[in-house]
Amino acid sequence: MAFQQTITVLDNQVTVPNAYLKIVSANVTTIGEIITCDITMYAYKNKEAAENELPPLTTYTDKFTPIFGDNVSDIKQQGYNYLKSKPEFANAIDILEEISL
């Protein structure tokens, strides 16, 4: 999964319409009874830039409290759901990735 939305980079100097945003890492940390998941999402000009491993235009980082158990989304899906709950990503379009077997 990934997102598509217009972003601004370089201190709001450049607008990138239909940028491709993808979580590249999700790391769960437990300290005592507190569990958090740190996520990193890269933003690219488009999907092809990501697939060709070009440098990202910008990086977003955040953290959330993951949920574990039966019938619960995986960590990355929870990360995307969390990000969509934030105003800056509320209008992002979900991009479903093809799964290669």
Side-chain angles (χ1 to χ4, degrees):
M1 182 172 184
F3 289 154
Q4 185 178 40
Q5 80 168 29
T6 299
I7 62 168
T8 56
V9 294
L10 300 174
D11 295 324
N12 293 323
Q13 296 180 63
V14 178
T15 299
V16 182
N18 301 316
Y20 181 80
L21 297 90
K22 184 172 186 171
I23 291 178
V24 294
S25 72
N27 299 305
V28 177
T29 305
T30 304
I31 300 176
E33 294 184 20
I34 300 171
I35 301 172
T36 58
C37 182
D38 296 303
I39 49 177
T40 301
M41 183 168 65
Y42 288 169
Y44 298 92
K45 178 181 177 184
N46 52 38
K47 184 177 181 179
E48 291 74 27
E51 290 172 342
N52 291 323
E53 299 180 3
L54 297 177
L57 298 172
T58 192
T59 301
Y60 299 95
T61 59
D62 209 329
K63 62 177 61 185
F64 69 97
T65 303
I67 300 169
F68 297 98
D70 296 333
N71 301 317
V72 175
S73 300
D74 67 26
I75 292 295
K76 276 192 175 180
Q77 182 63 53
Q78 289 183 50
Y80 282 112
N81 293 342
Y82 168 74
L83 290 170
K84 289 281 291 229
S85 75
K86 299 180 70 82
E88 58 265 43
F89 300 111
N91 295 319
I93 298 168
D94 294 337
I95 305 295
L96 300 177
E97 304 291 319
E98 290 184 21
I99 300 171
S100 56
L101 301 175

